Amino acid sequence: MNKPLADRIRPTTIDDVVGQQHILGKGKILRNIIESGKIPNMIFYGLSGTGKTTVANIAANTSHKALYRLNATNASVADVKAIVKESEGLLGQDGVLLYLDEIQNFNKKQQQSLLEYTENGRITLIASTTENPYFCVYNAILSRSTVFEFKALLPEDIEHALKRALDILQKEDFPKNKLIVEDGVLRHMAEKSGGDLRKALNALELAANYTIPDEKNQICLTMETAQQCTQKKVFQYDKDGDSHYDILSAFQKSIRGSDPDAAVHYLARLIAADDIQSICRRLMVIACEDVGLAYPSAITIVKACVDSALMLGFPEARIPLAQAVILLATAPKSNASYMAINSALYDLEHIDTGTIPRQLQNKHYDGEGNVEKGQNYLYPHDYPNHYVPQQYLPDKIRDKIYYVPGNNKQEQAAKEYWDKIKKK
């Protein structure tokens, strides 16, 4: 059975690895580590198809250690122990390098089992994960490892690799045919892969294998063929992973920054991922956190758009969602209420705020032992403008200011009104 193209094109030297120049370029730390042959415990973190397995293979070769591979999705502690036992023989005389893929699928106890062997040097661990290791990898392993982030590949990096793959296909799979590729085909595949080289290679292999040769025995890879093999652009999106939170973060920050174009772009990404719940939840938060009192009606309008979207479902839901996004992005901004409640909660956690003033307590009668008689609460509606000066905060924080009006028309108008009433 022929090996997949992605395996056949796998580089054996650092110079052949595409992308990741921030860690593999000349003089960069990971490159220096690999070239030294002295491999420490490492964690490779990044999206699929960005070269983590390839670099681990190269590291193992330069270290001259016996390489073992496990995938945490279906491996167990027993598999790790079996590798340790094998390392006691001739194969492990120079040490063992264990490449553990998808380490996030090992629970805490399973990850802890690795510590004993990494600490005594029986195993050098290179673990990979598509999720943030600071959230999914046990702290003791993190503290004993160096973390390297593998970034999504650029289209030009992927296109370069596709050209090498095309040569391999021509020599190994189609020696009697001539592969002809229309201009733009490889670039199209690269751009549709979402930074995942493996996806692009699979598309190229699919196109080559299932395109019927013409009368000249030529296999012509056209743009139409490329479009059929790639179908929909790949989005690196995992509802429980980093890409999910990165897009949501960019979404909210674009709205907060009053950039409707960027906000609609990130909305489109979320829609492409069919993540309506996250969109709706985040819009409700933004309406209160970032627009807030500068446009108090925003939450009402956004709630109506959200309800409509949930009732309609995709694809029609994109319309009220876009309306809500553009409304929030172009609305005046205030985080005054957000800052006020955060400040109040901070004080509750960190300082003694004292007791509620007597006039605000729910006092209906005074016991015999009470020196102070009467609640002395002043009912504001009995006074002009429904206001009367009165202490509401506890004594210990009586002069504390939590709410600072934002510099917008709505809040400034309210401030002007109350400054006049309170005669400040």
Side-chain angles (χ1 to χ4, degrees):
M1 181 177 179
N2 290 334
K3 292 172 64 177
L5 182 59
D7 287 336
R8 287 187 281 161
I9 196 180
R10 195 181 298 280
T12 56
T13 67
I14 299 177
D15 290 329
D16 288 334
V17 177
V18 295
Q20 313 311 334
Q21 290 303 297
H22 63 293
I23 51 177
L24 293 176
K26 294 288 185 182
K28 298 300 182 181
I29 187 64
L30 183 53
R31 185 188 188 103
N32 292 345
I33 288 173
I34 293 173
E35 289 180 341
S36 74
K38 300 175 182 178
I39 309 299
N41 297 313
M42 297 185 288
I43 296 175
F44 293 167
Y45 152 52
L47 302 172
S48 299
T50 52
K52 299 187 295 296
T53 302
T54 296
V55 174
N57 288 339
I58 296 172
N61 290 336
T62 61
S63 71
H64 303 295
K65 295 178 183 291
L67 175 63
Y68 290 84
R69 297 183 182 87
L70 290 178
N71 190 305
T73 304
N74 50 31
S76 65
V77 174
D79 295 314
V80 176
K81 290 180 178 179
I83 290 172
V84 173
K85 188 173 182 180
E86 284 188 37
S87 71
E88 296 172 355
L90 288 175
L91 286 175
Q93 60 184 349
D94 294 322
V96 167
L97 190 150
L98 171 61
Y99 179 63
L100 181 61
D101 199 11
E102 304 293 347
I103 190 175
Q104 74 274 7
N105 290 314
F106 260 15
N107 59 36
K108 183 177 179 180
K109 186 176 180 180
Q110 289 174 311
Q111 291 187 32
Q112 285 175 323
S113 70
L114 298 168
L115 287 176
E116 176 187 349
Y117 307 119
T118 56
E119 286 183 332
N120 63 23
R122 300 281 291 279
I123 285 179
T124 297
L125 176 68
I126 298 182
S128 72
T129 176
T130 55
E131 298 181 15
N132 192 325
Y134 297 100
F135 296 149
C136 67
V137 177
Y138 182 48
N139 281 337
I141 291 179
L142 279 176
S143 68
R144 292 163 175 78
S145 307
T146 304
V147 178
F148 292 99
E149 181 180 2
F150 283 62
K151 297 181 179 179
L153 298 177
L154 297 174
E156 48 266 34
D157 294 329
I158 295 176
E159 187 175 7
H160 177 74
L162 288 175
K163 290 177 181 177
R164 287 202 295 119
L166 196 61
D167 290 338
I168 291 175
L169 286 173
Q170 180 69 77
K171 293 174 183 177
E172 297 181 4
D173 294 18
F174 304 99
K176 296 181 181 180
N177 303 100
K178 184 176 181 181
L179 290 177
I180 298 177
V181 182
E182 281 188 1
D183 290 342
V185 164
L186 297 184
R187 185 68 179 191
H188 174 82
M189 290 179 174
E191 290 177 345
K192 288 287 186 177
S193 68
D196 184 336
L197 176 56
R198 193 179 296 110
K199 292 282 187 184
L201 291 170
N202 289 343
L204 176 60
E205 190 172 25
L206 182 68
N209 285 336
Y210 296 100
T211 297
I212 299 174
D214 62 16
E215 62 277 1
K216 296 180 181 179
N217 219 25
Q218 296 176 334
I219 296 176
C220 300
L221 305 185
T222 65
M223 184 61 74
E224 182 182 358
T225 303
Q227 290 170 347
Q228 291 178 25
C229 291
T230 53
Q231 294 292 317
K232 187 176 180 180
K233 183 175 179 179
V234 175
F235 287 94
Q236 296 285 2
Y237 190 85
D238 178 353
K239 290 186 179 181
D240 297 317
D242 279 358
S243 56
H244 166 74
Y245 295 106
D246 285 346
I247 296 174
L248 285 175
S249 176
F251 180 54
Q252 180 162 3
K253 288 171 181 173
S254 297
I255 295 176
R256 182 185 297 150
S258 302
D259 188 331
D261 299 307
V264 168
H265 169 76
Y266 292 115
L267 171 65
R269 289 196 182 201
L270 292 165
I271 290 174
D274 199 28
D275 195 358
I276 193 169
Q277 293 295 335
S278 293
I279 298 170
C280 292
R281 182 179 181 277
R282 191 57 62 110
L283 286 174
M284 300 288 283
V285 170
I286 295 169
C288 299
E289 178 182 344
D290 297 306
V291 174
L293 295 172
Y295 185 22
S297 298
I299 183 62
T300 305
I301 299 171
V302 168
K303 179 62 165 61
C305 289
V306 163
D307 288 346
S308 298
L310 292 173
M311 182 178 293
L312 290 168
F314 288 134
E316 288 84 358
R318 74 190 190 283
I319 303 168
L321 291 176
Q323 178 179 332
V325 166
I326 294 171
L327 171 79
L328 293 175
T330 56
K333 305 296 189 295
S334 172
N335 69 340
S337 56
Y338 170 78
M339 297 300 291
I341 189 59
N342 284 354
S343 182
L345 288 169
Y346 179 89
D347 281 356
L348 280 178
E349 181 71 23
H350 294 90
I351 66 174
D352 179 8
T353 56
T355 59
I356 296 172
R358 178 179 175 79
Q359 65 269 22
L360 301 186
Q361 294 175 13
N362 188 29
K363 296 286 187 182
H364 297 291
Y365 65 91
D366 296 309
E368 291 297 325
N370 285 353
V371 177
E372 183 180 0
K373 301 295 183 182
Q375 185 174 6
N376 301 319
Y377 170 65
L378 304 178
Y379 187 58
H381 296 300
D382 289 340
Y383 296 85
N385 299 309
H386 305 271
Y387 172 77
V388 59
Q390 185 171 212
Q391 181 183 334
Y392 291 95
L393 280 170
D395 287 340
K396 290 189 176 183
I397 56 170
R398 62 182 299 167
D399 296 322
K400 188 79 177 183
I401 295 176
Y402 291 115
Y403 170 60
V404 178
N407 188 23
N408 57 78
K409 183 177 180 181
Q410 181 77 28
E411 289 180 87
Q412 287 300 311
K415 180 180 182 299
E416 183 179 351
Y417 170 80
W418 284 110
D419 282 350
K420 182 178 179 180
I421 296 298
K422 296 177 181 180
K423 300 186 187 305
K424 288 187 178 180

